Amino acid sequence: MLLEKSIYDFLEELGSKSPAPGGGSVAALSGANGAHLISMVCNLTLGKKKYVEYESEVSGILEKAKKLGNQLAELVQRDTDVFLSVRDAFTLPNDSMDERIEKQEAIEEALKDATLVPFSVMELSLEGLNLCDEAIGKTNTNAISDLGSAAANFEASLKSAYLNVLINLKELSDKNFVSEYGMRSAELLKISEEAYDRIYKQVLIGIQ
């Protein structure tokens, strides 16, 4: 399991000639980093008299951030797993007509799974950006730069995951699937860019 490795060992494996883990796993990890940064900011806020009026809201944000962090962490491994499934599908025999049909169906199914994982990363990271937006003004102002870092991690996660969606869609023959997830992922990216720009500006104002 990738997340059971030390950070150093993970980075060593990431930088090796093995194609997995790759960009998709890193996209999920970036999102998980963002979620845990939100959790940290909430924990630095709860129990402080200055923010007592936001106690209930911040507690709610913390619970959502914890759940989000766990979901994104699971996708770090899942992305590598689906990549390996695609690789295995391409190695299936294709000597007979039946084998060729079976192989093509296996490749198509594996590529769809490999598309849906980074798409889920995009959806979850957009949720993370919305949590950052919700937390600004209610959490410890001394940690507002950490909220900005969380937002930056989510945006990096979204953009990286989007590239992984696109490269898998490129290989699929199911045009309806390609059209649906091409449009949905592009819309998520657009919404996230607008949200990130808004959050980043708010963070800069909060720091100055």
Side-chain angles (χ1 to χ4, degrees), residues 20-189:
S25 289
V26 170
L29 183 59
S30 294
N33 286 337
H36 283 80
L37 277 170
I38 294 176
S39 292
M40 183 192 78
V41 173
C42 290
N43 283 317
L44 290 171
T45 303
L46 293 171
K48 294 188 180 295
K49 292 181 179 179
K50 183 178 178 181
Y51 306 100
V52 67
E53 65 179 299
Y54 302 117
E55 189 91 4
S56 177
E57 291 173 84
V58 173
S59 292
I61 293 170
L62 175 58
E63 289 308 306
K64 291 176 185 176
K66 286 180 178 178
K67 180 180 178 182
L68 197 61
N70 289 335
Q71 290 173 307
L72 284 159
E74 289 173 3
L75 291 175
V76 174
Q77 181 66 49
R78 179 67 181 143
D79 188 85
T80 290
D81 292 342
V82 294
F83 172 83
L84 295 176
S85 294
V86 172
R87 184 194 63 183
D88 291 345
F90 273 100
T91 65
L92 290 172
N94 61 348
D95 296 325
S96 68
M97 178 61 71
D98 285 344
E99 285 180 340
R100 285 194 288 274
I101 292 172
E102 184 177 339
K103 179 176 183 177
Q104 186 54 46
E105 289 176 347
I107 290 172
E108 190 83 355
E109 192 63 31
L111 283 170
K112 286 182 178 179
D113 287 342
T115 301
L116 293 175
V117 171
F119 182 79
S120 293
V121 170
M122 293 184 74
E123 290 183 309
L124 292 171
S125 288
L126 182 55
E127 287 182 30
L129 282 172
N130 291 333
L131 280 183
C132 289
D133 207 5
E134 188 179 346
I136 292 175
K138 302 182 182 76
T139 50
N140 195 324
T141 54
N142 292 325
I144 193 170
S145 61
D146 296 297
L147 276 181
S149 294
N153 272 273
F154 287 128
E155 184 63 359
S157 174
L158 272 145
K159 288 185 174 180
S160 298
Y162 180 60
L163 297 177
N164 281 269
V165 169
L166 292 183
I167 200 165
N168 287 300
L169 290 179
K170 179 183 176 183
E171 301 298 325
L172 281 163
S173 59
D174 185 337
K175 301 305 179 185
N176 290 331
F177 185 95
V178 171
S179 176
E180 178 183 355
Y181 283 94
M183 288 189 294
R184 289 176 66 183
S185 59
E187 182 63 20
L188 285 176
L189 187 66

